[in-house]
Amino acid sequence: MSVQAKRPLPPPAAAPNAAPRTAPAAPAAPAGGAATRPIRLGLRANLAQFGLLVAVNALVGGMLGQERTVLPLLAGQVFHMSAYTGALTYILAFGATKAVTNFFAGTLSDRYGRRPVLIAGWLVALPIPAMLAWGPTWGWIVAANVLLGVNQGLTWSTTVIMKIDLVGPARRGLAMGLNEAAGYLAVAATATATGAIAAQWGLRPQPFLLGAAYVALGLGLTVAAVRETREHARAEAAAHAASSGTPPEGTATAGAAMRAVEATPERAAVPASESSGTAPAHGGPDDPARFSTARIARTTSLGDRALSAASWAGMVNNLNDALAWGIFPLLYAAHGLELGRIGILAALYPAVWGAGQMLTGWWSDRIGRKHLITAGMLLQAAALGLVAVGTSFPVWAAAQALLGAGTALVYPTLLAVVGDVAHPAWRARAVGIYRLWRDGGFAVGALLAGILADAYGVTTAIWAVAALTAAAGVTVAVRMYETHPRN
């Protein structure tokens, strides 16, 4: 009886749709002549660039903070604006311009890269401090806020997109929390500093010299050290596609979020070809890389339940922020508070908001997004009611702290929702469209608060905005589905 030697078994064939253990390698786009390097997603892998972008966004926030205490008082005491509606025109100009710029920031960053858009935003900011410090008429102040809206739309939107690019899906909430915390802590610190400077030296020009320093630092850091991140988004898209067995720029799941017809209470309807796992043809109508901006706008604004609820909540959030920015300092001054205390109240709200986001972004990665957003909007409504009934510094300080806590629950979590739902191929445009709605709230808030305050008084205006904020919380509870992958 002959014995045959056993031949080693061949290795098992890989399943056709098996996901690779690591993201497909992709060369990084060089920035400023830097050598190419392999793409790695994650906060730890990109910690140096992420930290640099946090610092850059703090300077972006400082540009906004230079106005929070001083400008509402400047309107009445220097330019003698008597009507609330007229005095709030700078917020209207800022909000409308920033909203539109947000829309284009995402599209431009997809087309030309993130870094050029960030640099352009800083270049636009160069004349703003001088216009605020020495502008001879109120028209100069409004024009400066048009430029500030462009600056904030380009720079803040782009730093958000770049951080989402770098960290990948696992730590998106934490990344947004750190980004927004840096920006709004800088708003708070600058509002406090400009209030103290104004109390000592006057409303102009000294407080706005801080803004000039911020522009110089922001532009210098961006040009010298910030690197392009668009290839990180492309690497994530490739990994997403490989894990689902589809071509790198066309995934079976990506088209699902782009359906306007809602066949279930939760998500947009999924065609049979997608639900069965059949990949859309590369370059076809369901290729995410070929989605039109109009299609993405429809989905973000109306078609997808989570994205549309986030857009509405974001708009109402900034509507009440416009109230806090433009009306609250005037209310405090009317009750006899001195300038230094007004500066403290103006800073307390963004300080709690900014610091809280370092926790709430991380928290939303653990427990999900929807319930934090709902609770935050309702807490904001309660805080606004407390401002309306308050007449003293301690009550208003408590209200500002509550308003900041509510906003901290909402702000980074809404951005994380957009990052969860949007495919990497069209995520930058979705962020831009969401921020169009969100920052349009500044313009709506300035108009609504000014008209109501002129017609019925400041207290009525505050109660009306509180009611809208509570309604937005109920809308999120009813309409939004949970978007975090673990939930």
Coordinates of all heavy atoms in Angstrom, one line a residue, residues 219-290:
L219 N -3.1 84.3 9.8 CA -2.6 84.2 8.4 C -1.2 83.6 8.4 O -0.9 82.7 7.6 CB -2.6 85.5 7.7 CG -2.1 85.6 6.3 CD1 -3.0 84.7 5.4 CD2 -2.1 87.0 5.8
G220 N -0.3 84.0 9.3 CA 1.0 83.5 9.4 C 1.1 82.0 9.6 O 1.8 81.2 9.0
L221 N 0.3 81.5 10.6 CA 0.3 80.1 10.9 C -0.3 79.2 9.8 O 0.3 78.2 9.5 CB -0.6 79.8 12.2 CG 0.0 80.1 13.5 CD1 -1.0 79.9 14.6 CD2 1.2 79.2 13.8
T222 N -1.3 79.7 9.1 CA -1.9 79.0 8.0 C -0.9 78.8 6.9 O -0.7 77.7 6.3 CB -3.2 79.7 7.6 OG1 -4.1 79.8 8.7 CG2 -3.8 78.9 6.4
V223 N -0.3 79.9 6.5 CA 0.6 79.9 5.4 C 1.9 79.0 5.7 O 2.3 78.3 4.9 CB 1.0 81.3 5.0 CG1 2.2 81.3 3.9 CG2 -0.2 82.1 4.4
A224 N 2.4 79.2 6.9 CA 3.6 78.5 7.2 C 3.5 77.0 7.6 O 4.4 76.3 7.3 CB 4.3 79.3 8.4
A225 N 2.4 76.6 8.2 CA 2.4 75.3 8.8 C 1.2 74.4 8.5 O 1.3 73.2 8.7 CB 2.4 75.5 10.4
V226 N 0.0 75.0 8.1 CA -1.2 74.1 7.8 C -1.0 73.3 6.5 O -0.6 73.9 5.5 CB -2.4 75.0 7.8 CG1 -3.6 74.2 7.3 CG2 -2.7 75.6 9.2
R227 N -1.3 72.1 6.6 CA -1.2 71.2 5.4 C -2.6 70.9 4.9 O -3.6 70.9 5.6 CB -0.5 69.9 5.7 CG 1.0 70.1 6.1 CD 1.8 68.9 6.0 NE 1.3 67.8 6.8 CZ 1.7 67.5 8.1 NH1 2.7 68.3 8.6 NH2 1.2 66.6 8.8
E228 N -2.6 70.5 3.6 CA -3.9 70.1 2.9 C -4.4 68.8 3.5 O -3.6 67.9 3.8 CB -3.7 70.0 1.4 CG -4.9 69.6 0.6 CD -6.0 70.6 0.8 OE1 -5.8 71.8 0.4 OE2 -7.0 70.2 1.4
T229 N -5.8 68.7 3.7 CA -6.3 67.5 4.2 C -7.3 66.8 3.3 O -7.9 65.8 3.7 CB -7.1 67.8 5.5 OG1 -8.2 68.6 5.3 CG2 -6.2 68.5 6.5
R230 N -7.5 67.3 2.1 CA -8.5 66.7 1.2 C -8.3 65.2 0.9 O -9.2 64.4 0.8 CB -8.6 67.5 -0.1 CG -9.6 67.1 -1.1 CD -9.8 68.0 -2.2 NE -8.6 68.4 -2.9 CZ -8.5 69.1 -4.0 NH1 -9.6 69.5 -4.6 NH2 -7.3 69.4 -4.5
E231 N -7.0 64.8 0.8 CA -6.7 63.4 0.5 C -7.1 62.5 1.7 O -7.3 61.3 1.5 CB -5.2 63.3 0.2 CG -4.7 63.9 -1.1 CD -5.5 63.4 -2.3 OE1 -5.7 62.2 -2.3 OE2 -5.8 64.2 -3.1
H232 N -7.2 63.0 2.9 CA -7.7 62.2 4.0 C -9.1 61.8 3.8 O -9.5 60.7 4.0 CB -7.5 63.0 5.3 CG -6.1 63.1 5.8 ND1 -5.2 64.0 5.2 CD2 -5.4 62.5 6.8 CE1 -4.0 63.9 5.8 NE2 -4.2 63.0 6.8
A233 N -9.9 62.8 3.3 CA -11.3 62.5 2.9 C -11.4 61.4 1.8 O -12.3 60.5 1.9 CB -12.1 63.7 2.5
R234 N -10.5 61.5 0.9 CA -10.5 60.6 -0.2 C -10.1 59.2 0.3 O -10.6 58.2 -0.2 CB -9.6 61.0 -1.4 CG -10.2 62.3 -2.1 CD -9.2 62.8 -3.1 NE -9.8 63.9 -3.8 CZ -9.1 64.8 -4.6 NH1 -7.8 64.6 -4.8 NH2 -9.7 65.7 -5.3
A235 N -9.1 59.1 1.2 CA -8.7 57.9 1.7 C -9.9 57.2 2.5 O -10.1 56.0 2.5 CB -7.5 58.1 2.6
E236 N -10.6 58.1 3.3 CA -11.8 57.5 4.0 C -12.8 57.0 3.1 O -13.4 56.0 3.3 CB -12.4 58.6 4.9 CG -13.5 58.1 5.8 CD -14.2 59.2 6.6 OE1 -13.6 60.3 6.8 OE2 -15.3 58.9 7.1
A237 N -13.0 57.7 2.0 CA -14.0 57.2 1.0 C -13.6 55.9 0.4 O -14.4 55.0 0.2 CB -14.2 58.3 -0.1
A238 N -12.3 55.8 0.1 CA -11.8 54.5 -0.4 C -12.0 53.4 0.6 O -12.3 52.3 0.2 CB -10.3 54.7 -0.8
A239 N -11.7 53.6 1.9 CA -11.8 52.6 2.9 C -13.3 52.2 3.1 O -13.7 51.1 3.2 CB -11.3 53.1 4.2
H240 N -14.2 53.2 3.0 CA -15.6 53.0 3.1 C -16.1 52.1 2.0 O -16.8 51.2 2.1 CB -16.3 54.4 3.0 CG -17.8 54.4 3.2 ND1 -18.7 53.6 2.4 CD2 -18.6 55.0 4.1 CE1 -19.9 53.8 2.8 NE2 -19.9 54.7 3.8
A241 N -15.6 52.4 0.8 CA -16.0 51.6 -0.4 C -15.4 50.2 -0.3 O -16.1 49.2 -0.6 CB -15.5 52.3 -1.7
A242 N -14.2 50.1 0.1 CA -13.6 48.7 0.2 C -14.3 47.9 1.2 O -14.5 46.7 1.0 CB -12.1 48.8 0.6
S243 N -14.7 48.4 2.3 CA -15.4 47.7 3.4 C -16.8 47.2 2.9 O -17.3 46.2 3.5 CB -15.6 48.5 4.6 OG -16.5 49.6 4.4
S244 N -17.4 47.8 1.9 CA -18.7 47.4 1.4 C -18.6 46.7 0.0 O -19.6 46.4 -0.6 CB -19.7 48.6 1.3 OG -19.1 49.6 0.5
G245 N -17.3 46.6 -0.5 CA -17.1 45.8 -1.7 C -17.6 46.6 -2.9 O -18.0 46.0 -3.9
T246 N -17.5 47.9 -2.9 CA -17.9 48.7 -4.0 C -16.8 49.5 -4.6 O -15.8 49.7 -3.9 CB -19.1 49.7 -3.6 OG1 -18.5 50.6 -2.6 CG2 -20.3 48.9 -3.1
P247 N -16.9 50.1 -5.8 CA -15.8 50.9 -6.3 C -15.6 52.1 -5.4 O -16.5 52.5 -4.7 CB -16.4 51.4 -7.7 CG -17.4 50.4 -8.0 CD -18.0 49.9 -6.7
P248 N -14.3 52.6 -5.3 CA -13.9 53.6 -4.3 C -14.8 54.8 -4.3 O -15.0 55.4 -3.3 CB -12.5 54.0 -4.7 CG -12.0 52.7 -5.4 CD -13.2 52.2 -6.1
E249 N -15.4 55.2 -5.4 CA -16.2 56.5 -5.4 C -17.7 56.2 -5.6 O -18.4 57.0 -5.9 CB -15.7 57.5 -6.4 CG -14.3 58.0 -6.0 CD -13.9 59.1 -6.9 OE1 -14.4 59.2 -8.0 OE2 -12.9 59.8 -6.5
G250 N -18.1 54.9 -5.4 CA -19.5 54.6 -5.5 C -19.9 53.5 -4.6 O -19.5 52.4 -4.8
T251 N -20.6 53.8 -3.5 CA -20.9 52.7 -2.6 C -22.4 52.4 -2.5 O -23.2 53.2 -2.9 CB -20.5 53.2 -1.1 OG1 -21.4 54.2 -0.7 CG2 -19.0 53.7 -1.1
A252 N -22.7 51.2 -2.1 CA -24.0 50.8 -2.0 C -24.9 51.5 -1.0 O -26.0 51.7 -1.2 CB -24.1 49.3 -1.7
T253 N -24.2 52.0 0.0 CA -24.9 52.7 1.1 C -25.0 54.2 0.9 O -25.8 54.9 1.5 CB -24.3 52.4 2.5 OG1 -22.9 52.8 2.4 CG2 -24.4 50.9 2.8
A254 N -24.1 54.7 0.1 CA -24.0 56.2 0.0 C -25.2 56.8 -0.6 O -25.6 57.9 -0.2 CB -22.7 56.6 -0.8
G255 N -25.8 56.1 -1.6 CA -27.0 56.7 -2.2 C -28.2 56.7 -1.3 O -29.1 57.5 -1.6
A256 N -28.2 55.9 -0.3 CA -29.4 55.8 0.6 C -29.7 57.1 1.2 O -30.9 57.5 1.3 CB -29.1 54.8 1.6
A257 N -28.7 57.9 1.7 CA -29.0 59.2 2.3 C -29.5 60.2 1.3 O -29.9 61.3 1.8 CB -27.8 59.6 3.1
M258 N -29.4 59.9 0.0 CA -29.7 61.0 -1.0 C -31.1 60.8 -1.5 O -31.4 61.3 -2.6 CB -28.7 60.9 -2.1 CG -27.2 61.1 -1.7 SD -27.0 62.7 -0.9 CE -27.4 63.8 -2.3
R259 N -31.9 60.0 -0.9 CA -33.3 59.8 -1.4 C -34.3 60.7 -0.7 O -34.3 60.8 0.5 CB -33.7 58.3 -1.2 CG -32.9 57.4 -2.0 CD -33.1 57.5 -3.4 NE -32.3 56.6 -4.2 CZ -31.2 57.0 -4.8 NH1 -30.7 58.2 -4.7 NH2 -30.5 56.1 -5.5
A260 N -35.0 61.5 -1.5 CA -35.9 62.4 -0.9 C -37.2 61.7 -0.5 O -38.0 62.3 0.4 CB -36.3 63.5 -1.9
V261 N -37.6 60.6 -1.0 CA -38.8 59.9 -0.7 C -38.6 59.1 0.6 O -37.7 58.3 0.7 CB -39.3 59.0 -1.8 CG1 -40.6 58.2 -1.4 CG2 -39.5 59.7 -3.1
E262 N -39.4 59.3 1.6 CA -39.2 58.6 2.9 C -40.2 57.5 3.0 O -41.4 57.8 3.3 CB -39.3 59.6 4.0 CG -38.2 60.7 4.0 CD -38.4 61.7 5.0 OE1 -39.4 61.6 5.8 OE2 -37.6 62.7 5.1
A263 N -39.8 56.3 2.9 CA -40.7 55.2 2.9 C -40.8 54.6 4.3 O -41.7 53.8 4.6 CB -40.2 54.0 2.0
T264 N -39.9 55.0 5.2 CA -40.0 54.6 6.6 C -39.9 55.8 7.5 O -39.6 56.9 7.1 CB -38.7 53.7 7.0 OG1 -37.6 54.5 7.0 CG2 -38.5 52.6 5.9
P265 N -40.3 55.6 8.8 CA -40.2 56.8 9.7 C -38.8 57.3 9.9 O -38.7 58.3 10.5 CB -40.8 56.2 11.0 CG -41.5 54.9 10.7 CD -40.8 54.4 9.5
E266 N -37.8 56.5 9.6 CA -36.5 56.9 9.9 C -35.7 57.6 8.8 O -35.5 58.7 8.7 CB -35.7 55.7 10.4 CG -36.3 55.1 11.7 CD -36.0 56.0 12.9 OE1 -34.8 56.1 13.2 OE2 -36.9 56.5 13.4
R267 N -35.3 56.8 7.8 CA -34.4 57.2 6.8 C -35.1 57.3 5.4 O -36.2 56.8 5.2 CB -33.2 56.3 6.6 CG -32.4 56.2 7.9 CD -31.3 55.2 7.7 NE -30.6 55.0 9.0 CZ -29.5 55.7 9.3 NH1 -29.0 56.6 8.5 NH2 -28.9 55.5 10.5
A268 N -34.4 58.0 4.5 CA -34.9 58.0 3.1 C -34.9 56.6 2.5 O -34.2 55.7 2.9 CB -34.0 58.9 2.3
A269 N -35.8 56.5 1.5 CA -36.0 55.1 0.9 C -34.8 54.7 0.2 O -34.0 55.5 -0.4 CB -37.2 55.2 -0.1
V270 N -34.5 53.4 0.2 CA -33.3 52.8 -0.4 C -33.8 52.0 -1.6 O -34.6 51.1 -1.5 CB -32.5 51.9 0.5 CG1 -31.3 51.4 -0.1 CG2 -32.2 52.7 1.8
P271 N -33.3 52.2 -2.8 CA -33.7 51.4 -4.0 C -33.3 50.0 -3.8 O -32.4 49.6 -3.1 CB -33.0 52.1 -5.2 CG -32.5 53.4 -4.7 CD -32.4 53.3 -3.2
A272 N -34.0 49.1 -4.6 CA -33.7 47.7 -4.5 C -32.3 47.3 -4.8 O -31.6 46.5 -4.2 CB -34.7 46.9 -5.4
S273 N -31.7 48.0 -5.8 CA -30.3 47.7 -6.2 C -29.4 48.0 -5.0 O -28.4 47.4 -4.9 CB -29.9 48.6 -7.4 OG -30.0 50.0 -7.1
E274 N -29.7 49.0 -4.2 CA -28.8 49.3 -3.1 C -29.0 48.4 -1.9 O -28.1 48.0 -1.3 CB -29.0 50.8 -2.7 CG -28.5 51.8 -3.7 CD -28.7 53.2 -3.4 OE1 -29.2 53.4 -2.3 OE2 -28.4 54.1 -4.1
S275 N -30.3 48.2 -1.6 CA -30.6 47.3 -0.4 C -30.1 45.9 -0.6 O -29.8 45.2 0.3 CB -32.1 47.3 -0.1 OG -32.8 46.8 -1.2
S276 N -30.0 45.5 -1.9 CA -29.5 44.1 -2.1 C -28.0 44.1 -2.2 O -27.4 43.0 -2.4 CB -30.1 43.6 -3.5 OG -29.6 44.4 -4.5
G277 N -27.3 45.2 -2.1 CA -25.9 45.2 -2.1 C -25.3 45.4 -3.4 O -24.1 45.4 -3.6
T278 N -26.1 45.6 -4.5 CA -25.6 45.9 -5.8 C -25.0 47.2 -5.9 O -25.6 48.2 -5.5 CB -26.7 45.7 -6.8 OG1 -27.3 44.4 -6.7 CG2 -26.1 45.9 -8.3
A279 N -23.7 47.3 -6.3 CA -23.1 48.6 -6.3 C -23.5 49.4 -7.5 O -23.7 48.9 -8.6 CB -21.5 48.4 -6.4
P280 N -23.7 50.7 -7.3 CA -24.1 51.6 -8.4 C -22.9 51.7 -9.3 O -21.7 51.6 -8.9 CB -24.4 53.0 -7.7 CG -23.7 52.9 -6.4 CD -23.7 51.5 -6.0
A281 N -23.2 51.9 -10.6 CA -22.1 52.0 -11.6 C -21.2 53.2 -11.3 O -21.6 54.2 -10.9 CB -22.7 52.1 -13.0
H282 N -19.9 52.9 -11.4 CA -18.9 54.0 -11.2 C -19.2 55.1 -12.2 O -19.2 54.8 -13.4 CB -17.5 53.4 -11.4 CG -16.4 54.4 -11.1 ND1 -16.2 55.0 -9.9 CD2 -15.5 54.9 -12.0 CE1 -15.2 55.8 -10.0 NE2 -14.8 55.8 -11.2
G283 N -19.3 56.3 -11.7 CA -19.6 57.4 -12.6 C -21.1 57.6 -12.9 O -21.5 58.5 -13.6
G284 N -22.0 56.7 -12.4 CA -23.4 56.8 -12.6 C -24.1 57.7 -11.7 O -23.5 58.4 -10.9
P285 N -25.4 57.8 -11.8 CA -26.2 58.8 -11.0 C -26.0 58.6 -9.5 O -26.3 59.5 -8.7 CB -27.6 58.6 -11.5 CG -27.7 57.2 -12.0 CD -26.3 57.0 -12.6
D286 N -25.7 57.3 -9.0 CA -25.6 57.1 -7.6 C -24.1 57.0 -7.2 O -23.8 56.6 -6.1 CB -26.3 55.8 -7.2 CG -27.8 55.9 -7.2 OD1 -28.3 57.0 -6.8 OD2 -28.5 55.0 -7.7
D287 N -23.2 57.5 -8.0 CA -21.8 57.7 -7.6 C -21.7 58.9 -6.8 O -22.0 60.0 -7.2 CB -21.0 57.8 -8.9 CG -19.5 57.9 -8.6 OD1 -19.2 58.2 -7.4 OD2 -18.7 57.9 -9.5
P288 N -21.4 58.8 -5.5 CA -21.3 60.0 -4.6 C -20.5 61.1 -5.1 O -20.8 62.3 -4.8 CB -20.8 59.4 -3.3 CG -21.1 58.0 -3.3 CD -21.0 57.6 -4.7
A289 N -19.4 60.8 -5.8 CA -18.5 61.8 -6.4 C -19.2 62.7 -7.4 O -18.7 63.8 -7.7 CB -17.3 61.2 -6.9
R290 N -20.3 62.2 -7.9 CA -21.0 62.9 -9.0 C -22.3 63.6 -8.5 O -23.1 64.1 -9.4 CB -21.3 62.0 -10.2 CG -20.0 61.6 -10.9 CD -20.2 60.8 -12.1 NE -19.0 60.4 -12.8 CZ -18.3 61.2 -13.7 NH1 -18.9 62.3 -14.0 NH2 -17.2 60.8 -14.2

